[in-house]
Amino acid sequence: MKVVESFGAARYTGSGPVGLVPTMGFFHEGHLSLMRSARDACDWVIVSHFVNPLQFGPEEDLAAYPRDLDRDAGLAEQEGVDILFVPPVDEMYPHVPATRVTVDALTIGLEGRYRPGHFDGVAMVVTKLLAGLRPDLAYFGRKDAQQLAMVRRLAAELSFPTEIEGGPTVRNPDGLALSSRNSYLSEAERASAVAMFRGLEAAAALVATGERESLILEQAVVDAAAAEHGFDLEYAELTDAFDVVHLKRLDREAFLAAAGSVGSTRLIDNVWFHGPDLEPDLGVRLDGPSILEKVTA
Ligand code: AMP
């Protein structure tokens, strides 16, 4: 594996499909599962590793965001990644960009309401990665459901020849979705954080028995969060998987997205309902502790 800092050095000139996995580093099994999917399908696998300042709000955790490049390089190497692309900020943004990339309608609700400017920052970095590396496939987690929908729309509307693949949400054994931000949680906060998953799991069980009303599904998340004092739910919304509009009834491919905070840490999660049978999909659970817990212990 080569660790490179410039677009020029990361580009692949051979034949066969190129897969890209965009990340902000501090790898956990969610990132690794995307790398494995890319490894299975592609001849050349590029993982980008860049904490993108444009997607952090002024009050957010850019400076505190966890970083450990040596550890990440070891993990990527084990997954058979060919190129770890670690651009310095100057490579990505030699000037303050005059260009804006906005995927309007899909980014107004959910996270867009709580994180103004966030999706423009993500859209900018993804556009630069797709344009600069020209991958055939790019892999994104369903954990960030609104981001995945936005990236799909962006790639299609800007005519990138890249196919956007969604990967399953990888969870701790108790159900908490893996996130680099879990490393901020104290033990007590970590215990409260799982409330959101419990609510999503309850909603999935309702769907499996035939419930389709969004109010009832959303209420399952509200109730689970209310039962846990340490957890502060911001929203639970049944959302069309492609247009990211709120649904009154679950009658097409959708996700029930939720966000909330424990202490000062904000977490997001969702359960996906795949069409046409609207089969609930909570992703996959690890059978032991995540590599993330070993790092932060
Ligand atoms: P990040 O480094 O947090 O920007 O995430 C990089 C990619 O990993 C994004 O496509 C995320 O959606 C994905 N990802 C983050 N957490 C998980 C998870 N628990 N399971 C699956 N994919 C994830």
Side-chain angles (χ1 to χ4, degrees), residues 276-292:
D277 296 333
L278 306 172
E279 189 76 34
D281 174 8
L282 284 156
V284 295
R285 288 202 214 193
L286 299 174
D287 31 333
S290 163
I291 48 174
L292 209 53

Side-chain angles (χ1 to χ4, degrees), residues 5-7 10-11 18-24 46-52 55 84-87 91-93 101 121-140 151 154 160-162 164:
E5 296 196 348
S6 70
F7 274 103
R11 225 167 267 144
V18 176
L20 170 69
V21 182
T23 80
M24 298 207 298
I46 307 174
V47 173
S48 65
H49 184 293
F50 179 64
V51 181
N52 175 31
Q55 71 188 69
L84 187 63
F85 175 42
V86 190
E91 172 71 9
M92 200 57 97
Y93 305 119
V101 188
V122 175
M124 184 69 174
V125 80
V126 170
T127 300
K128 289 186 65 87
L129 290 167
L130 297 183
L133 301 172
R134 298 168 209 149
D136 299 288
L137 296 122
Y139 295 80
F140 293 82
V151 170
L154 179 159
F160 284 111
T162 306
I164 306 299

